[in-house]
């Protein structure tokens, strides 16, 4: 049984059959939201950025939301494999404060995570912003209107109720509540169109690198919103996964090249509020040039607890931090197989990929 599966859009499947998977064909690498699920991609990330793409000479855009933004920001640093390894260890070792009922203390969690990001990036911002090949783009969600413009104990739940209800009718209409704001390396424009949803791009700067990544990871009601990020419109910024859970974007509008997407599943769910809307999980023509690298669902069943690490583990393990850390590390160690299979796959002159769902 293979641990790694390759799913691709129609244009991408044709190119993989003709040439295999080559670093010079990659124009975008995308990273999804998903919290601890991203840990199983860590060995694959370390291989891709530490070795496989290391010899490339062309511009590659790195686009991420939530943990995907953190992963890809680490990839822009000197010695990306080490930075990504540290990300995984920090995530596994983190101990967040909880209320007596077991729920998170959002403000303290945000402060803890902000400190962790400062340890990663403070003093190293220019490594990310002056990388010779990579252009980083951090996806966030900016609240709009009187309920979501600022965070509040009453208005924030009401605002997200409004966003949820509106999203049931139309994803585009949810833009009345939440706007996609992309903090972008402005040296080169994104090679695709962001016309599917209310969007604003702002420059990614040294002073907003860590705050934008923090905002991109700030799950509503779990972490506090990040307000008034330097160089960006005033307001409350939340998890980029709210608007772009798996970055189901118009990649087909790109003139040439492929989108490489290390992902923890084959489907690209558009927004976090679309998780229960199965009809929005299907592949579309916008993914024609996308190559998804995803773990085989049957192989996933061999991991601890028969599943990917996820946020439910925080509650399931409770105060057994050592047990959670043990099983997450075991899952990550088993995921070395994904990297090994990718190495063999990338050496093939031709690849038969599965269609995207």
């Amino acid at each position: 049984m293979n641990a790694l599966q390759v799913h691709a859009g129609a244009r991408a499947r044709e190119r993989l059959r003709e040439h295999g998977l080559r670093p010079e064909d990659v124009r975008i690498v995308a990273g999804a939201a998903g919290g601890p699920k991203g840990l199983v991609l860590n060995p694959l990330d370390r291989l891709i950025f530490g070795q496989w793409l290391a010899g490339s000479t062309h511009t590659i855009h790195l686009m991420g939301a939530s943990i995907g933004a953190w992963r890809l920001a680490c990839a822009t640093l000197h010695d990306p494999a080490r930075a990504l390894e540290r990300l995984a260890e920090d995530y596994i070792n983190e101990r967040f404060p909880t209320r007596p009922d077991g729920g998170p203390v959002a403000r303290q969690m945000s402060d803890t995570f902000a400190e962790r990001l400062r340890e990663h990036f403070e003093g190293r911002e220019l490594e990310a912003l002056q990388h010779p090949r990579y252009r980083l783009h951090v996806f966030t969600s900016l609240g709009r209107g009187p309920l979501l413009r600022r965070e509040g104990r009453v208005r924030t739940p009401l605002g997200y109720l409004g966003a949820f209800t509106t999203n049931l009718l139309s994803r585009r209409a949810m833009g009345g509540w939440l706007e996609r704001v992309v903090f972008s390396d402005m040296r080169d424009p994104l090679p695709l169109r962001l016309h599917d949803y209310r969007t604003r791009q702002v420059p990614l700067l040294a002073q907003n690198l860590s705050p934008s990544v923090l905002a991109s990871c700030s799950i509503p009601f779990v972490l506090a919103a990040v307000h008034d990020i330097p160089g960006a419109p005033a307001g409350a910024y939340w998890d980029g996964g709210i608007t772009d859970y798996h970055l189901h974007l118009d990649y087909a509008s790109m003139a040439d090249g492929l989108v490489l997407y290390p992902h923890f599943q084959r489907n690209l769910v558009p927004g976090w509020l679309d998780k229960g809307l199965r009809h929005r999980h299907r592949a579309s023509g916008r993914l024609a040039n996308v190559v998804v690298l995803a773990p085989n669902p049957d192989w996933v069943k061999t991991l601890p607890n028969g599943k990917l690490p996820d946020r439910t583990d925080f509650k399931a393990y409770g105060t057994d931090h050592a047990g959670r850390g043990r099983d997450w590390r075991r899952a990550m160690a088993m995921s070395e197989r994904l990297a090994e299979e990718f190495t063999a796959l990338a050496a093939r002159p031709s690849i038969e990929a599965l269609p995207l769902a």
Side-chain angles (χ1 to χ4, degrees):
M1 179 180 62
N2 289 336
L4 181 67
Q5 292 185 333
V6 181
H7 304 269
R11 278 165 45 190
R13 290 200 306 276
E14 182 178 351
R15 183 171 292 205
L16 292 176
R17 279 194 297 267
E18 292 178 355
H19 304 295
L21 184 58
R22 306 178 301 185
E24 58 265 33
D25 289 333
V26 176
R27 294 293 178 272
I28 290 176
V29 180
K37 295 175 184 176
L39 292 173
V40 298
L41 302 174
N42 191 266
L44 189 57
D45 285 343
R46 286 187 274 123
L47 173 68
I48 288 172
F49 291 107
Q51 300 178 40
W52 191 67
L53 287 177
S56 60
T57 58
H58 63 290
T59 297
I60 303 175
H61 295 267
L62 311 183
M63 303 167 47
S66 200
I67 194 172
W70 189 10
R71 288 166 49 213
L72 295 178
C74 288
T76 65
L77 300 178
H78 300 328
D79 195 355
R82 176 68 191 100
L84 287 159
E85 184 179 33
R86 180 181 177 186
L87 178 160
E89 277 302 307
D90 283 352
Y91 203 109
I92 291 171
N93 289 328
E94 200 61 79
R95 304 289 184 264
F96 291 118
T98 58
R99 301 189 302 263
D101 63 1
V105 182
R107 180 71 268 163
Q108 290 176 260
M109 288 183 68
S110 290
D111 291 343
T112 300
F113 186 41
E115 179 59 30
R116 198 67 61 241
L117 289 176
R118 282 192 291 270
E119 292 171 2
H120 275 258
F121 298 109
E122 191 168 40
R124 306 184 68 184
E125 292 89 353
L126 293 185
E127 292 180 36
L129 299 176
Q130 296 181 359
H131 194 284
R133 301 183 313 282
Y134 298 153
R135 307 292 183 261
L136 180 63
H137 306 271
V138 178
F139 282 60
T140 67
S141 303
L142 173 63
R144 302 186 75 246
L147 293 178
L148 290 181
R149 187 176 293 121
R150 313 296 293 184
E151 188 172 32
R153 294 181 64 181
V154 175
R155 61 178 174 231
T156 298
L158 290 175
Y160 273 100
L161 177 61
F164 174 81
T165 304
T166 304
N167 185 64
L168 292 175
L169 302 174
S170 166
R171 170 168 158 75
R172 187 183 290 270
M174 192 181 71
W177 297 90
L178 291 155
E179 181 176 17
R180 172 197 289 148
V181 177
V182 186
F183 290 79
S184 287
D185 186 324
M186 304 300 280
R187 288 177 292 171
D188 292 280
L190 274 169
L192 78 165
R193 294 180 296 169
L194 296 175
H195 58 90
D196 61 312
Y197 187 82
R198 182 189 293 270
T199 301
R200 193 183 315 214
Q201 277 187 271
V202 298
L204 184 64
L205 308 168
Q207 59 265 40
N208 64 28
L209 175 61
S210 289
S212 65
V213 175
L214 174 62
S216 189
C217 296
S218 293
I219 306 164
F221 314 112
V222 178
L223 273 73
V226 179
H227 288 83
D228 305 335
I229 298 176
Y237 289 79
W238 277 282
D239 197 314
I242 302 299
T243 55
D244 293 284
Y245 191 45
H246 296 162
L247 292 92
H248 189 133
L249 305 172
D250 189 7
Y251 300 109
S253 66
M254 194 166 65
D256 189 28
L258 297 176
V259 178
L260 184 66
Y261 205 136
H263 196 20
F264 44 79
Q265 62 183 47
R266 65 185 294 183
N267 306 92
L268 302 187
V269 180
W272 188 70
L273 297 177
D274 298 320
K275 288 194 293 183
L277 305 178
R278 291 286 180 178
H279 63 285
R280 296 187 187 175
H281 297 192
R282 295 191 293 267
S284 70
R286 294 184 295 171
L287 308 181
N289 53 347
V290 174
V291 178
V292 171
L293 307 174
N296 184 334
D298 290 330
W299 174 80
V300 169
K301 294 175 184 176
T302 70
L303 296 176
N305 303 311
K307 66 176 184 62
L308 299 172
D310 61 36
R311 290 191 188 93
T312 65
D313 292 338
F314 286 109
K315 184 175 182 180
Y317 285 88
T319 59
D320 184 13
H321 304 303
R324 175 176 57 80
R326 178 196 64 234
D327 288 343
W328 281 10
R329 283 192 182 86
R330 185 178 165 212
M332 200 164 68
M334 293 173 68
S335 300
E336 293 285 352
R337 186 171 164 187
L338 300 176
E340 293 166 1
E341 292 186 12
F342 176 82
T343 299
L345 183 81
R348 296 181 191 172
S350 176
I351 295 172
E352 287 293 334
L354 300 166
L356 285 171

